[in-house]
Amino acid sequence: MGLAGGLYMDMFSEKISPGKNLLVGFQHVLAMCPGTIAVPLIMGGAMGLDARTTAFLVSANLFTSGIAILIQVFGLSKYIGSRYPIILGSSFAPLAPMIMIGNTYGLPTLFGAIMVSGVLIFLLSFFLDKILMLFPPVVVGTFVTLIGVSLAPTAIQDLAGGTGSSTYGSVQNLLLGFGVLIFIILVEKFGKGIWRAMSLLLGIIGGTVVGAFLGMVDITPIQEASAFQLVTPFYFGTPQFEAGSILIMTIFCIINMIQCIGVFSVLDEIAGTHTDNATKIKGIKAQAVSQVITGAFNSVPSTMFNENVSLIDLTKIKSRSVIATAGVMMLLLGIFPKVSAVITVVPKAVLGGATLALFGVITSSGISILSKLNFFENNNFTIVGTSIAIGVGATFASDIFAGLPSTLSMICSNGLFMVSASAILLNLLLNGSKGLKR
């Protein structure tokens, strides 16, 4: 099983009291829910779905995220599941093609494409040891750094009140958001024991209470949500399989797979581990199996969440039991929409301040990986600098690819794909086969 499967399993099996398990697990739920809920909400709006259908998609999404987490943490066999403390939630990588497929062919074809692409990713994982040779530290460090950089605008926009909000950029939002950020940093710095581990939760709760006094909390979603909703497979009918949709979905799920590989590197930097390829392959297989299940349950591909790995650094708690607790909570949130609606009333400014602290850790992890390189060897200056420039450019000026064919335009507009493709190609071009052995 290797060092990652033996020594590191002990590290991730630390005993946590039931109370701390629940509190820290709930923090992980709070950290992941905004991003997880956003995907079905955006899909519902872009596809013109009614409120009831969109609400079902949100419930299905929460429910299947719980399944994906538990498969990853406990595994389905000794070959599937990394058994690492990793949270999974909705992936943004295939969002554009999902909307396109849904609008063109309907939801049964969309979920059919998600299921089949999950099978194809699973088959591809058997060759992942060869693929991982393309990701030496210079590539991974560049990729992880851009993940943090690309996430930061989302956090700062939420801190300002959320794009499109009538109060966007108001002094009230800025003071509340930065206040939450500063509070979390101070508690993480000076807090002891359970209080330090609860820094994110305390910041979100405190910020929400302050926001309520300022009239920034609307409890209407709680009042309107159903008390119970069973998530059933094939809710929208028998899956349909269309070759072009499956191909497009698979391409974007490969991008998602690359992002998942990067999460292991972030965890290594935070936990001081060195994950072997065998463990990464098991993790990708678990993600692929989860994708087949989520498609059957009317949900979207999942991805490993960097922000929750950052939360491990914030709480200093690496236990798998905490992540498993979060997975069970997600299952329950999926079938009790009124409870999950409570999370949606947290003011955007509060969430922005909290996630800004987490995304900063991701950027630091990427820089830490790069700091171990000798920039005066192997053309590292050129590879890192050029790739980040291309990735940042594609992220913030994606409209330059609008004239390309639609599928190619969607791929090139993905900054994470562009930074990884650039770093891989430059490493091979400038260093040849030597670049695979670093």
Side-chain angles (χ1 to χ4, degrees):
M1 199 169 182
L3 184 61
L7 175 63
Y8 298 157
M9 287 303 101
D10 293 336
M11 176 187 296
F12 298 140
S13 300
E14 58 182 311
K15 300 297 181 182
I16 305 295
S17 67
K20 182 180 280 191
N21 232 323
L22 288 171
L23 287 171
V24 180
F26 186 54
Q27 285 190 104
H28 278 283
V29 170
L30 287 175
M32 72 171 290
C33 264
T36 293
I37 292 174
V39 172
L41 289 177
I42 294 171
M43 279 179 54
M47 295 169 62
L49 303 178
D50 58 51
R52 183 177 179 181
T53 301
T54 302
F56 179 83
L57 289 177
V58 170
S59 294
N61 199 255
L62 295 171
F63 183 79
T64 54
S65 291
I67 293 175
I69 292 168
L70 295 176
I71 290 176
Q72 191 66 233
V73 171
F74 293 119
L76 291 179
S77 71
K78 64 179 181 179
Y79 302 109
I80 299 175
S82 66
R83 293 172 175 79
Y84 269 28
I86 292 175
I87 288 281
L88 290 96
S90 302
S91 173
F92 274 87
L95 179 57
M98 285 193 296
I99 292 171
M100 183 185 73
I101 294 168
N103 280 329
T104 305
Y105 299 102
L107 291 175
T109 299
L110 169 60
F111 295 125
I114 290 171
M115 292 173 64
V116 176
S117 62
V119 173
L120 295 176
I121 294 297
F122 183 82
L123 295 175
L124 185 63
S125 70
F126 286 93
F127 306 96
L128 195 60
D129 55 338
K130 306 297 183 184
I131 296 173
L132 288 172
M133 293 176 64
L134 299 173
F135 292 87
V138 66
V139 175
V140 173
T142 305
F143 179 77
V144 171
T145 300
L146 189 67
I147 290 177
V149 171
S150 61
L151 288 172
T154 301
I156 206 75
Q157 286 167 357
D158 283 347
L159 186 149
T163 304
S165 168
S166 60
T167 61
Y168 185 77
S170 69
V171 174
Q172 182 173 274
N173 283 332
L174 296 177
L175 287 176
L176 181 59
F178 281 114
V180 169
L181 173 62
I182 293 169
F183 177 83
I184 291 172
I185 292 173
L186 291 177
V187 173
E188 201 274 334
K189 171 65 177 177
F190 298 107
K192 304 294 183 182
I194 184 64
W195 299 107
R196 180 179 182 180
M198 290 170 53
S199 60
L200 187 86
L201 180 59
L202 291 173
I204 292 177
I205 291 175
T208 302
V209 170
V210 173
F213 279 108
L214 297 173
M216 300 171 66
V217 176
D218 178 12
I219 64 171
T220 303
I222 301 175
Q223 297 170 334
E224 294 180 347
S226 304
F228 177 81
Q229 184 171 17
L230 189 65
V231 178
T232 55
F234 310 125
Y235 179 83
F236 298 101
T238 305
Q240 304 296 313
F241 306 105
E242 196 274 323
S245 300
I246 292 170
L247 176 61
I248 293 172
M249 185 60 60
T250 302
I251 291 171
F252 280 87
C253 286
I254 290 173
I255 298 173
N256 182 44
M257 181 183 72
I258 295 171
Q259 183 172 339
C260 290
I261 292 171
V263 172
F264 285 106
S265 298
V266 177
L267 184 60
D268 284 345
E269 286 300 308
I270 287 172
T273 53
H274 183 72
T275 305
D276 56 24
N277 285 352
T279 302
K280 294 177 183 176
I281 292 170
K282 293 174 187 176
I284 296 300
K285 285 181 178 178
Q287 187 277 327
V289 169
S290 300
Q291 182 170 320
V292 177
I293 295 172
T294 57
F297 277 88
N298 325 286
S299 191
V300 303
S302 60
T303 191
M304 300 177 185
F305 271 27
N306 282 284
E307 47 264 51
N308 289 90
V309 177
S310 301
L311 185 55
I312 290 175
D313 183 58
L314 205 65
T315 62
K316 309 304 178 188
I317 295 176
K318 310 178 185 72
S319 175
R320 289 184 301 147
S321 66
V322 168
I323 305 303
T325 299
V328 173
M329 288 180 179
M330 294 298 291
L331 288 172
L332 295 175
L333 289 177
I335 60 177
F336 294 108
K338 195 171 285 290
V339 179
S340 62
V342 173
I343 297 173
T344 67
V345 305
V346 176
K348 280 280 191 179
V350 173
L351 289 175
T355 53
L356 199 59
L358 299 179
F359 295 161
V361 174
I362 300 170
T363 306
S364 297
S365 298
I367 294 172
S368 177
I369 295 171
L370 293 176
S371 70
K372 297 178 175 65
L373 300 174
N374 184 340
F375 274 79
F376 297 98
E377 294 180 353
N378 300 315
N379 304 286
N380 288 330
F381 257 125
T382 301
I383 295 170
V384 174
T386 303
S387 299
I388 288 181
I390 291 173
V392 169
T395 299
F396 299 109
S398 57
D399 56 328
I400 68 168
F401 301 109
L404 298 177
S406 58
T407 301
L408 187 58
S409 175
M410 285 189 287
I411 294 173
C412 293
S413 298
N414 187 299
L416 296 180
F417 170 79
M418 293 297 284
V419 73
S420 56
S422 174
I424 289 170
L425 292 175
L426 284 174
N427 184 43
L428 292 175
L429 177 65
L430 298 176
N431 296 313
S433 60
K434 182 179 66 173
L436 301 177
K437 301 175 183 178
R438 293 201 276 165

